[in-house]
Amino acid sequence: MSGTELYFRLLRHVRPYWRTFALGVLGIVIVAATEPALPALLKPLLDGVFVNKDESVIRWTPVFIIGLFVVRGLAEYVAQFALSWIGNRLVMDLRGIMFRKLLTLPARYFDDQASGNLISRLTFDVMQVTTASTTVLTVLFKETLVIIGLLAWMLWLNWKLTLLALVMAPVIVLVVRIISVRVRSSSRRVQQQMGDMTQVIQETIEGHRVVKLFGGQIYEQQRFDEQANSVRRQLMKQVAAASASVPVVQLVAAIALATIVFLAAQQSSADQITVGGFVSFITAMLMLTAPLKRVTSVNEPLQRGLAAAESIFALIDEAGETDTGNIEPGCVRGEIRFEGVQFAYGTGGRNALNGIDLQIAPGETVALVGVSGSGKTTLANLVPRFYLPTAGRILLDGQDIGTLKLASLRANIALVSQDVVLFNDTVAANIAYGAMNNVTREDVIAAAEAAYAMDFIREMPLGLDTLIGENGVKLSGGQRQRLAIARALLKNAPVLILDEATSALDTESERHVQAALEVLMRGRTTIVIAHRLSTVEKADRIVVMNAGRIVEMGAHHELLARNGIYEKLYRNQFSLAPGQVQ
């Protein structure tokens, strides 16, 4: 996308606030229109006061000057306030659009993106477009009008000298264009490296215990210093390019000014120009250098803003989750059927699942077991359509899940995983999360009681209204799991997915969590993913997976009797000799 297309796309987001924008532009026009008034005053002032001794000119000129600057001051205030308001509003709107897009992006996108880079886009990149969309526009519009006004006055005074001054314009345009390319390229690299630096900061904060325990402080400091230095180098490249443009432009202007002063002095000696006209022309010529400097200086923030806009619109233009379903299933019975399901992460990668055929009856508990990488979690992730099968299909109550509306499908599924996700909010808000936030207090308490969580909740300073910190940092592992179970109980979905829900717990916590899970699983179609085989012995069926395929299936005692892969896994896990598991 070209710079012009990016800029006009940015301005489309300003369109809803066109009245405020028009007010700011009006202020700019007034300020710009009054700029040439100062050199224009010099001619009648000098000729009328010092040459003609005109009393009316002497009397009214100071009043006019004060009135001029009062008008300019008010207009400048209105312009600055209006355009700053629009800039801050634009940042808020773009952040809102980007965040809404993040909420709709598929799981594959987050697999491929570093979270630090995404955070940097919403924090750093979006701030850069404020300057491009409002401040740059203000400077360009205002200073262009000032330049036009001053040139018009100079043409009226002496068109020959003015045309000579315009010779410098093509040189200035060439300088600005060369530097623009360099600044835009450097800005892209700054944004990428800012994302990398944010990633290092985020990983260090989240893993501070590992960093301290394994003595990683020096290593993390080196990583951060390298990224910070990369950002600094790129910023200095921007500064070097931007700083070169102003002195070059000023040198060209100075050469033109020197030539014009020489020619104007000759005209003055030949009585072709008055003293007031000469001083007025030179003043207007000198006043041109300031807006020219500002116009050329604005190129650096403009290119930074356009590079940031590329990054922002790339995220906004990402395709969200595909929701081709048009069927509202309501509350399902919970029959799940996998028919010839295959799946691969990325294009050209090996299949994580190969030809999965499996039928789960309503209310049945099916455990998926196998070594790491056998495809257990991948299979479970296909049910709520976090990923789409590359071949085959999955049916829920006889309906292909691809034909079901995504929100309706997920409304019928609850998840409790080993990596419990909790938010920096109250206990009650974490249980009654999302679509459940309008339930009664009694419902929340009932869910917490059923999950064996109210015992420790009552001991908290504010009970259900206690803030639990980032990802429940103030809670133990077992307490976090029980809050996740309470959340699933409150949802009361007919399909339940348990992904290693007890694997990271101590014996006492596991006892409480297991009791809560038994309450949660009653009457629900449950898919249990487990490495600890002791937790799945009571499952209706155990499905053994290996290399993305189902290799064994049956009840616990049946699989042990076969002396196959499950029996080997069981024996190794409990350090039993052959034959002891019988």
Side-chain angles (χ1 to χ4, degrees):
M1 192 180 291
S2 69
T4 304
E5 290 172 326
L6 278 171
Y7 203 81
F8 278 108
R9 183 170 178 184
L10 262 180
L11 291 182
R12 283 204 296 272
H13 292 278
V14 178
R15 190 182 301 163
Y17 316 112
W18 68 269
R19 290 183 179 84
T20 308
F21 185 75
L23 183 64
V25 169
L26 177 62
I28 292 171
V29 170
I30 292 172
V31 172
T34 56
E35 190 87 10
L38 186 60
L41 273 174
L42 289 175
K43 187 178 188 301
L45 179 64
L46 293 172
D47 291 341
V49 174
F50 297 103
V51 178
N52 301 325
K53 311 296 183 182
D54 190 328
E55 291 293 332
S56 62
V57 173
I58 295 172
R59 187 167 50 252
W60 287 106
T61 298
V63 176
F64 191 80
I65 290 173
I66 293 171
L68 176 67
F69 278 91
V70 168
V71 172
R72 277 176 59 87
L74 289 172
E76 189 121 34
Y77 174 80
V78 169
Q80 288 288 342
F81 185 86
L83 292 173
S84 295
W85 185 90
I86 288 174
N88 288 317
R89 185 76 196 209
L90 178 65
V91 168
M92 187 184 78
D93 289 350
L94 286 175
R95 278 179 174 154
I97 294 168
M98 294 166 73
F99 192 76
R100 284 192 291 275
K101 173 59 72 170
L102 283 177
L103 295 175
T104 66
L105 289 171
R108 282 182 185 273
Y109 182 82
F110 294 99
D111 293 342
D112 298 332
Q113 297 289 327
S115 57
N117 282 316
L118 294 177
I119 294 169
S120 180
R121 288 191 192 185
L122 268 80
T123 53
F124 176 74
D125 291 6
V126 77
M127 289 300 295
Q128 305 301 306
V129 302
T130 311
T131 308
S133 59
T134 55
T135 309
V136 168
L137 188 65
T138 304
V139 172
L140 286 176
F141 191 60
K142 175 189 167 186
E143 305 306 339
T144 301
L145 287 176
V146 169
I147 291 169
I148 291 171
L150 290 171
L151 286 174
W153 174 246
M154 290 167 61
L155 281 167
W156 187 82
L157 282 174
N158 194 318
W159 64 271
K160 292 179 182 178
L161 294 179
T162 305
L163 290 178
L164 180 62
L166 291 175
V167 171
M168 63 180 177
V171 179
I172 292 172
V173 170
L174 180 62
V175 170
V176 170
R177 179 162 183 80
I178 291 171
I179 290 172
S180 295
V181 175
R182 186 172 179 84
V183 172
R184 176 92 72 90
S185 174
S186 181
S187 294
R188 291 192 191 101
R189 289 193 289 272
V190 166
Q191 285 150 21
Q192 175 62 42
Q193 286 162 359
M194 278 295 293
D196 295 340
M197 188 174 73
T198 306
Q199 183 70 23
V200 173
I201 295 169
Q202 183 185 357
E203 289 175 352
T204 303
I205 291 171
E206 291 178 352
H208 69 95
R209 290 185 178 86
V210 174
V211 172
K212 291 170 182 173
L213 192 62
F214 288 88
Q217 290 94 335
I218 295 174
Y219 173 70
E220 295 301 335
Q221 185 66 59
Q222 289 173 344
R223 287 178 69 204
F224 179 81
D225 289 345
E226 286 173 7
Q227 294 300 331
N229 194 38
S230 296
V231 172
R232 182 196 62 80
R233 285 200 304 267
Q234 292 303 326
L235 287 173
M236 289 311 301
K237 287 180 181 179
Q238 286 183 15
V239 171
S243 300
S245 65
V246 174
V248 170
V249 168
Q250 287 183 323
L251 177 62
V252 174
I255 293 170
L257 176 62
T259 306
I260 289 168
V261 168
F262 176 75
L263 294 175
Q266 286 188 329
Q267 287 186 355
S268 177
S269 63
D271 293 329
Q272 295 176 353
I273 187 170
T274 66
V275 173
F278 175 75
V279 173
S280 180
F281 187 89
I282 294 302
T283 302
M285 180 76 181
L286 290 170
M287 287 178 69
L288 266 178
T289 58
L292 278 174
K293 177 182 176 181
R294 286 192 286 268
V295 167
T296 51
S297 297
V298 89
N299 183 55
E300 180 195 3
L302 174 63
Q303 297 306 321
R304 281 204 312 264
L306 292 178
E310 285 179 329
S311 168
I312 289 167
F313 291 134
L315 173 61
I316 291 173
D317 293 338
E318 280 289 338
E321 281 188 301
T322 54
D323 188 4
T324 55
N326 54 13
I327 298 173
E328 293 270 7
C331 187
V332 301
R333 293 183 300 112
E335 181 195 23
I336 303 173
R337 194 160 71 246
F338 298 86
E339 295 182 348
V341 171
Q342 294 185 10
F343 178 78
Y345 289 100
T347 55
R350 71 175 185 84
N351 281 348
L353 295 174
N354 285 287
I356 300 295
D357 291 299
L358 176 65
Q359 184 167 349
I360 304 173
E364 184 181 14
T365 297
V366 171
L368 304 179
V369 302
V371 296
S372 296
S374 58
K376 306 183 297 296
T377 299
T378 300
L379 185 64
N381 281 337
L382 295 181
V383 178
R385 270 171 56 192
F386 291 146
Y387 301 94
L388 298 175
T390 50
R393 62 177 186 160
I394 303 169
L395 294 91
L396 180 61
D397 286 1
Q399 290 280 354
D400 189 329
I401 63 170
T403 66
L404 305 180
K405 287 188 176 180
L406 200 54
S408 298
L409 168 67
R410 290 175 180 171
N412 283 284
I413 301 171
L415 168 69
V416 179
S417 65
Q418 173 185 349
D419 300 319
V420 176
V421 176
L422 297 174
F423 301 91
N424 188 18
D425 207 333
T426 64
V427 173
N430 273 281
I431 295 174
Y433 177 73
M436 302 180 293
N437 62 4
N438 58 352
V439 301
T440 65
R441 187 81 162 187
E442 290 71 25
D443 290 336
V444 175
I445 293 172
E449 290 279 12
Y452 296 92
M454 277 308 297
D455 290 344
F456 72 83
I457 293 173
R458 289 191 186 97
E459 295 174 359
M460 292 181 166
L462 298 175
L464 287 167
D465 298 316
T466 304
L467 291 171
I468 62 173
E470 183 181 357
N471 205 28
V473 69
K474 298 178 181 179
L475 304 176
S476 70
Q479 290 171 340
R480 288 198 295 270
Q481 288 285 13
R482 280 179 275 172
L483 286 190
I485 293 168
R487 182 193 295 163
L489 277 164
L490 189 61
K491 188 173 185 180
N492 195 28
V495 177
L496 175 64
I497 298 173
L498 302 177
D499 189 354
E500 301 285 357
T502 62
S503 63
L505 303 178
D506 59 81
T507 305
E508 181 65 19
S509 296
E510 184 181 355
R511 184 175 62 81
H512 288 296
V513 171
Q514 197 65 48
L517 287 175
E518 288 175 5
V519 174
L520 178 61
M521 293 163 63
R522 287 174 195 158
R524 306 179 202 280
T525 303
T526 306
I527 298 174
V528 182
I529 301 167
H531 277 110
R532 292 166 70 170
L533 302 185
S534 60
T535 62
V536 299
E537 291 180 3
K538 296 179 182 178
D540 298 317
R541 271 189 302 162
I542 298 173
V543 174
V544 184
M545 299 187 67
N546 188 43
R549 299 180 184 277
I550 295 174
V551 291
E552 291 180 353
M553 191 186 310
H556 170 70
H557 64 279
E558 294 173 347
L559 293 175
L560 288 180
R562 291 181 191 174
N563 294 324
I565 293 178
Y566 181 79
E567 187 268 347
K568 183 180 178 182
L569 288 171
Y570 193 86
R571 179 161 39 85
N572 289 341
Q573 197 166 105
F574 293 97
S575 302
L576 300 175
Q580 282 188 279
V581 297
Q582 304 296 329

